[in-house]
Amino acid sequence: MSTTADPLAALGALPGVADSVDSVRKAVDRVYGHRVMRRRSTAVTSEAALRGARGSAALSGADWPLEEVRRRSDFSGAGGDEEARTVGAALRLTAEAGQLLSIWRQSPLRVLARLHLVAAADNGDAVGRPRQGSEPVDEPLVELPLPDAQEVAGRLEGLSGLIIAGSSAPALVTAAVVHGELLALRPFGSHNGLVARTAERIVLVGSGLDPKSICPAEVGHAEQGRAEYLAALEGYVSGTPEGVAAWIAHCGRSVELGARESTAVCEALQRGAA
């Protein structure tokens, strides 16, 4: 990451990033301009939340049909159903995200701790705090080298400092960096992917890019597929300008696909079919 006074803004100057930012802005503006948003935005937000949670859970190994997520009421994981627990965690995080917007810019580490606590739904000693020493990480779908606890602590503090200081960088750049850093670090013993994608959502909403939370990037990440998601993440972890730019572009495309999904929801509502 750049050593300039505003390293996030420096990333925004990488080749191709400005095009991604512009494309995302246009996609978001289009869905916000839909006539249904003038009178039924709450319904669109609710549907986007459900679809976003489904997409995030799919990337964490619980790829359930949307109607199954909508139908189920028990996500306790009784009988060892880990997929149900994953979907339940994704739904809880989506609901919690809106409650944490005002805290994020002042205390991002506090928000991340809260997100992990909500996802884990556990009172264990390792819940809600970054891992320590040689504590293991249960994140089997991300097979990148795992930074040690000391590096995790340092990079989390650095990320927190950037968020608190503020940046002139576009919201897409900040959201992509937050998402990428959390997945690269995997700071918690579990549920890091779910937490990272929720943090991305918080940045996109809190920045004003998607204030009503109707462009779920999680939908787009899932639609592009786990293999492409992980390949883009590897580019971010490489630290090369090309790799970081490709990750930001991947996140941008995910927001665009989320906007397209909500446009379809608007059309369905307009027809009276949803």
Side-chain angles (χ1 to χ4, degrees):
M1 192 173 290
S2 170
T3 57
T4 63
D6 189 350
L8 292 175
L11 294 180
L14 290 173
V17 170
D19 290 341
S20 294
V21 169
D22 185 56
S23 184
V24 165
R25 180 75 267 175
K26 289 177 179 176
V28 173
D29 285 348
R30 279 195 297 271
V31 68
Y32 271 84
H34 197 286
R35 61 187 300 177
V36 166
M37 287 296 297
R38 293 197 293 269
R39 60 186 187 278
R40 300 197 64 182
S41 64
T42 301
V44 180
T45 295
S46 297
E47 188 65 19
L50 184 71
R51 295 179 185 221
R54 193 218 73 81
S56 191
L59 287 168
S60 287
D63 192 0
W64 286 14
L66 179 63
E67 292 311 313
E68 177 66 9
V69 178
R70 197 190 305 278
R71 181 190 67 81
R72 286 280 289 265
S73 58
D74 180 11
F75 297 98
S76 65
D81 188 347
E82 290 300 326
E83 289 193 5
R85 289 195 184 98
T86 298
V87 175
L91 289 167
R92 290 193 300 274
L93 284 172
T94 299
E96 186 74 11
Q99 310 302 314
L100 299 172
L101 293 170
S102 63
I103 305 172
W104 173 254
R105 283 292 301 274
Q106 286 74 44
S107 186
L109 296 184
R110 179 182 164 196
V111 169
L112 294 176
R114 174 62 185 169
L115 292 176
H116 186 243
L117 186 67
V118 169
D122 191 340
N123 295 318
D125 292 340
V127 173
R129 64 159 174 78
R131 52 191 169 83
Q132 301 172 358
S134 58
E135 289 177 339
V137 173
D138 180 16
E139 202 73 39
L141 300 178
V142 179
E143 298 179 350
L144 296 169
L146 190 67
D148 63 31
Q150 184 174 359
E151 181 179 351
V152 168
R155 285 173 64 176
L156 280 179
E157 285 294 337
L159 181 63
S160 175
L162 289 176
I163 300 301
I164 292 170
S167 172
S168 61
L172 171 64
V173 173
T174 303
V177 168
V178 167
H179 185 171
E181 277 293 285
L182 293 175
L183 270 184
L185 295 176
R186 281 147 289 162
F188 302 109
S190 62
H191 301 93
N192 290 287
L194 294 175
V195 168
R197 291 184 288 275
T198 306
E200 178 186 45
R201 173 188 285 265
I202 287 173
V203 174
L204 294 171
V205 174
S207 67
L209 175 64
D210 180 22
K212 294 184 182 294
S213 194
I214 61 167
C215 302
E218 305 97 321
V219 167
H221 288 305
E223 185 172 334
Q224 293 184 84
R226 191 180 301 152
E228 191 167 335
Y229 180 68
L230 295 177
L233 176 63
E234 287 182 12
Y236 177 83
V237 171
S238 76
T240 66
E242 297 80 8
V244 174
W247 169 250
I248 294 171
H250 176 89
C251 291
R253 178 60 178 157
S254 296
V255 176
E256 291 181 56
L257 291 170
R260 187 180 72 178
E261 184 89 353
S262 285
T263 298
V265 170
C266 288
E267 295 293 332
L269 287 169
Q270 187 167 280
R271 296 191 306 270

